[in-house]
Amino acid sequence: MRLKLVIFDADGTLVDSQADILGSMHGAFERQGMTSPSREDILGIVGLSLDVAMLKLAPTTDAVTRAALVEGYKHTYMRRREAVGAKESSPLYPGALAALDRLKARDDVVLGVATGKSRRGLDKLIEGHGLEGYFLTRQVADDHPSKPHPSMILTALAEMGIESGDAVMIGDTSYDMEMAQSAGVAGLGVSWGYHPSSALSAAKHIIEDFSALDTVLEQMFGELA
């Protein structure tokens, strides 16, 4: 039996954290006396590491200001999450937990996560939703270049001892799909996240809700076999 590695993005794929992301970004820019970017621009950088995201959102600022924006974002994000808890501030999308449960129960599948979150942020999210033990490999922004660099996926493959041809990356952004393509793994896009489906041109398939995941994964696993 050949094991398959199914890697999930977090924000915009498993959890809807846009309220926290938007609020934290507004807070970061306000702390610097700067005009906050638009909602569209902010959601457009979800998935990138914060330093890369700030360079995109504030390209004319100097490195010191961008570093302050990063710290301001982290500060505001933590305060918002502490106020209500990760489960409420970043709720799972409908069907996500059931889909994870089904995959976790399979003998031929191992689960991983590759996210632009920090390790602390991912750990808090997993703890808040009771997902300890679900993801055998966790790749975070602390340890890698920003998406779409393939480092997260390549490290996950190495940790699990699985070849790229036996892996699927599930995500909502063009960065996820481009990362998958660069790593030589199949990309499965989701339509409910922060990038429009039209931006997921590198995806092998796109699903409209979690109820379609099992069927499409079976199809993809067949293509990988």
Side-chain angles (χ1 to χ4, degrees), residues 211-223:
S211 66
L213 180 61
D214 299 76
T215 299
V216 174
L217 278 179
E218 284 303 321
Q219 181 180 345
M220 296 179 77
F221 289 159
E223 293 168 353

Side-chain angles (χ1 to χ4, degrees), residues 79-92:
R79 290 191 64 181
R80 289 176 61 90
R81 191 175 61 197
E82 288 169 0
V84 296
K87 187 173 183 179
E88 287 73 26
S89 66
S90 295
L92 287 163

Side-chain angles (χ1 to χ4, degrees), residues 117-162:
K117 285 184 174 297
S118 66
R119 183 162 300 281
R120 179 173 64 171
L122 178 61
D123 288 350
K124 288 291 187 182
L125 185 71
I126 286 173
E127 177 186 353
H129 285 289
L131 297 176
E132 295 91 345
Y134 279 71
F135 305 108
L136 299 188
T137 178
R138 303 180 187 180
Q139 306 305 321
V140 295
D142 307 54
D143 306 322
H144 300 280
S146 178
K147 298 176 182 180
H149 191 284
S151 176
M152 289 187 187
I153 292 179
L154 295 177
T155 301
L157 293 170
E159 285 185 359
M160 295 294 97
I162 293 175

Side-chain angles (χ1 to χ4, degrees), residues 17-225:
S17 49
Q18 66 173 295
D20 275 349
I21 292 170
L22 291 168
S24 300
M25 199 63 78
H26 292 323
F29 275 79
E30 288 171 3
R31 283 163 65 96
Q32 297 303 311
M34 300 170 63
T35 301
S36 182
S38 68
R39 177 182 183 277
E40 181 181 10
D41 286 344
I42 293 172
L43 293 182
I45 56 80
V46 174
L48 297 177
S49 299
L50 278 174
D51 56 342
V52 176
M54 292 307 182
L55 184 58
K56 282 184 170 290
L57 292 175
T60 61
T61 58
D62 57 32
V64 173
T65 301
R66 291 196 299 274
L69 286 170
V70 168
E71 290 307 310
Y73 178 92
K74 291 179 178 179
H75 174 77
T76 308
Y77 196 98
M78 288 298 175
R79 290 191 64 181
R80 289 176 61 90
R81 191 175 61 197
E82 288 169 0
V84 296
K87 187 173 183 179
E88 287 73 26
S89 66
S90 295
L92 287 163
Y93 282 104
L97 181 58
L100 290 173
D101 284 339
R102 291 193 300 271
L103 290 172
K104 185 174 181 288
R106 292 180 57 153
D107 293 331
D108 61 336
V109 170
V110 292
L111 300 178
V113 62
T115 175
K117 285 184 174 297
S118 66
R119 183 162 300 281
R120 179 173 64 171
L122 178 61
D123 288 350
K124 288 291 187 182
L125 185 71
I126 286 173
E127 177 186 353
H129 285 289
L131 297 176
E132 295 91 345
Y134 279 71
F135 305 108
L136 299 188
T137 178
R138 303 180 187 180
Q139 306 305 321
V140 295
D142 307 54
D143 306 322
H144 300 280
S146 178
K147 298 176 182 180
H149 191 284
S151 176
M152 289 187 187
I153 292 179
L154 295 177
T155 301
L157 293 170
E159 285 185 359
M160 295 294 97
I162 293 175
E163 298 295 325
S164 59
D166 290 321
V168 173
M169 174 70 206
I170 303 174
D172 68 303
T173 70
S174 59
Y175 312 126
D176 295 315
M177 298 303 100
E178 291 164 11
M179 178 176 65
Q181 191 174 54
S182 296
V185 310
L188 172 56
V190 303
S191 67
W192 55 79
Y194 304 147
H195 283 194
S197 296
S198 59
L200 309 181
S201 58
K204 296 290 186 182
H205 300 275
I206 298 175
I207 59 173
E208 300 296 326
D209 55 59
F210 272 109
S211 66
L213 180 61
D214 299 76
T215 299
V216 174
L217 278 179
E218 284 303 321
Q219 181 180 345
M220 296 179 77
F221 289 159
E223 293 168 353
L224 298 176

